[in-house]
Amino acid sequence: MSLRFPRTIAALFAMTLIAAPMETFASDTVRIGYQRSSTLMGLIRDSGVLDDRLAQQGVDIRWHEFTSGLPMLEALNLGDLDLSADVADTVPIFAQAANVDLTFYATEAPSPAGQAMIVHADSSIDSVADLKGKRVTVTRGAGNHYLLLAALNRAGLTLDDVQVSYLTPSDARAAFVQKNVDAWIAWEPYLSTARAQDDTRTIVDGSDGLANYTRFYLAATPYAESHPEVVGTVYRTLKEAGDWVRAHRHEAAQRLSPLWGGIDPKIIEAALSNRSYQVEPVSKAQFDEQQQIVDAFLEAGVLPRKVDTRDAHIYEPTNEEQ
């Protein structure tokens, strides 16, 4: 029997909710952090499907919005959050360096085109080598920070060869538009927004082995260990949401537009095409590149101490959840 995809993500999830057996659990609360750009978790929050599923398990959700990944993981460390939406692969490294007890409960397949270095169309910069002496902006500790290091290294340059400004994405966009910086490594949806609204050229992205730009979903380890059934429900819902987005980019863009401040759905659809949204279990092998990031950040003086990325805890979903 063939199955048709429903027209809305809420309908897709509702099919599973109707069929789900009712079980009795003790009343509880899970606190979930997300960013405005958290695609899958944003859609899930908007649909209410996870709230409904966890309500069947006697669990209420408290949603908390953050401006970036590092403060979100700090909240995990302080006990103010239980689970986080996706963060770039660089972010957990700083949390591990601060001895935050994290559990990786999901990942997305790599999206190397999900971030890229752009310049103005009339710029004299044609390659990474041309960045010498130029002004570049990234967000400190974010995935674009590592892409800058990797790109400079491949071109035989270091951070000492460029003038780096560490700005949030919104501030970086303003600096780029006003031509206060020569190059900006942006991630989605900021990247597709700039490409659509400004006259830009792309110098390099994460392809050719520069940076996989893998996204991870994290939990406070004490919570993951004491509430595996909640983590499992969140994992299953994320996976279904990712499958839906990949099959329904146009509709997903329409739904995300008001959640992302009214960005043109056509821009969002372009942004979605640069991310995999393929939710998978986390494996130790994925930490190999993270260890490379550790080494790069240590050499650049960005990371306070060396960490072994393989020391992190991993949640393993059940066969039913996968």
Side-chain angles (χ1 to χ4, degrees):
M1 179 177 64
S2 61
L3 295 177
R4 294 183 179 179
F5 283 96
R7 290 188 58 78
T8 69
I9 192 169
L12 170 65
F13 293 151
M15 288 170 56
T16 309
L17 282 170
I18 293 170
M22 294 297 292
E23 299 181 66
T24 301
F25 294 81
S27 180
D28 204 349
T29 299
V30 59
R31 300 160 300 173
I32 301 178
Y34 69 100
Q35 302 173 65
R36 173 180 282 190
S37 60
S38 299
T39 308
L40 300 186
M41 202 67 87
L43 287 169
I44 289 168
R45 177 177 178 270
D46 184 59
S47 73
V49 61
L50 187 59
D51 298 79
D52 291 340
R53 284 183 172 176
L54 290 181
Q56 293 185 38
Q57 299 174 209
V59 178
D60 295 325
I61 301 179
R62 295 292 180 267
W63 296 96
H64 299 274
E65 184 175 351
F66 290 81
T67 57
S68 64
L70 285 173
M72 189 159 58
L73 295 201
E74 177 63 17
L76 281 176
N77 185 40
L78 294 174
D80 295 330
L81 277 185
D82 303 307
L83 302 175
S84 83
D86 58 305
V87 295
D89 43 14
T90 58
V91 177
I93 290 170
F94 289 88
Q96 288 174 279
N99 294 313
V100 180
D101 193 6
L102 296 175
T103 291
F104 290 67
Y105 71 89
T107 185
E108 292 178 15
S111 302
Q115 56 181 356
M117 179 186 295
I118 57 174
V119 298
H120 292 281
D122 60 359
S123 172
S124 62
I125 300 171
D126 293 317
S127 69
V128 176
D130 295 331
L131 289 176
K132 191 167 185 177
K134 302 296 185 180
R135 302 162 300 175
V136 186
T137 183
V138 295
T139 302
R140 188 176 182 87
N144 61 356
H145 194 173
Y146 174 65
L147 178 55
L148 174 61
L149 295 177
L152 290 174
N153 181 65
R154 181 173 289 185
L157 301 176
T158 69
L159 284 178
D160 292 335
D161 295 309
V162 296
Q163 302 175 47
V164 183
S165 298
Y166 296 108
L167 301 174
T168 64
S170 56
D171 289 340
R173 173 73 196 282
F176 183 76
V177 170
Q178 296 165 12
K179 294 193 174 183
N180 292 329
V181 295
D182 302 299
W184 172 29
I185 302 183
W187 65 74
E188 296 295 5
Y190 305 100
L191 177 59
S192 288
T193 301
R195 284 170 168 166
Q197 297 180 353
D198 307 316
D199 199 5
T200 70
R201 288 186 291 110
T202 298
I203 299 301
V204 69
D205 62 19
S207 303
D208 299 326
L210 269 183
N212 280 333
Y213 193 51
T214 303
R215 310 290 295 185
F216 289 108
Y217 295 79
L218 300 144
T221 296
Y223 186 87
E225 291 179 343
S226 60
H227 296 80
E229 73 287 346
V230 174
V231 178
T233 299
V234 174
Y235 176 89
R236 176 166 56 94
T237 307
L238 282 168
K239 183 171 176 58
E240 291 173 356
D243 292 343
W244 183 86
V245 168
R246 296 203 313 279
H248 301 83
R249 271 193 205 131
H250 179 74
E251 187 175 346
Q254 298 290 330
R255 292 179 62 87
L256 284 165
S257 179
L259 303 181
W260 286 0
I263 297 177
D264 186 336
K266 291 181 180 179
I267 294 176
I268 296 178
E269 196 166 351
L272 296 180
S273 70
N274 287 328
R275 286 273 301 276
S276 74
Y277 297 115
Q278 183 175 328
V279 177
E280 302 173 336
V282 180
S283 69
K284 288 285 187 183
Q286 289 180 288
F287 296 153
D288 290 342
E289 185 185 24
Q290 277 199 295
Q291 202 62 49
Q292 296 175 20
I293 297 172
V294 167
D295 295 339
F297 279 165
L298 276 173
E299 185 177 350
V302 178
L303 197 65
R305 69 176 183 87
K306 188 175 181 64
V307 298
D308 186 344
T309 57
R310 290 177 178 267
D311 287 341
H313 302 280
I314 292 177
Y315 170 80
E316 297 181 6
T318 64
N319 291 334
E320 291 77 12
E321 292 162 359
Q322 296 187 53

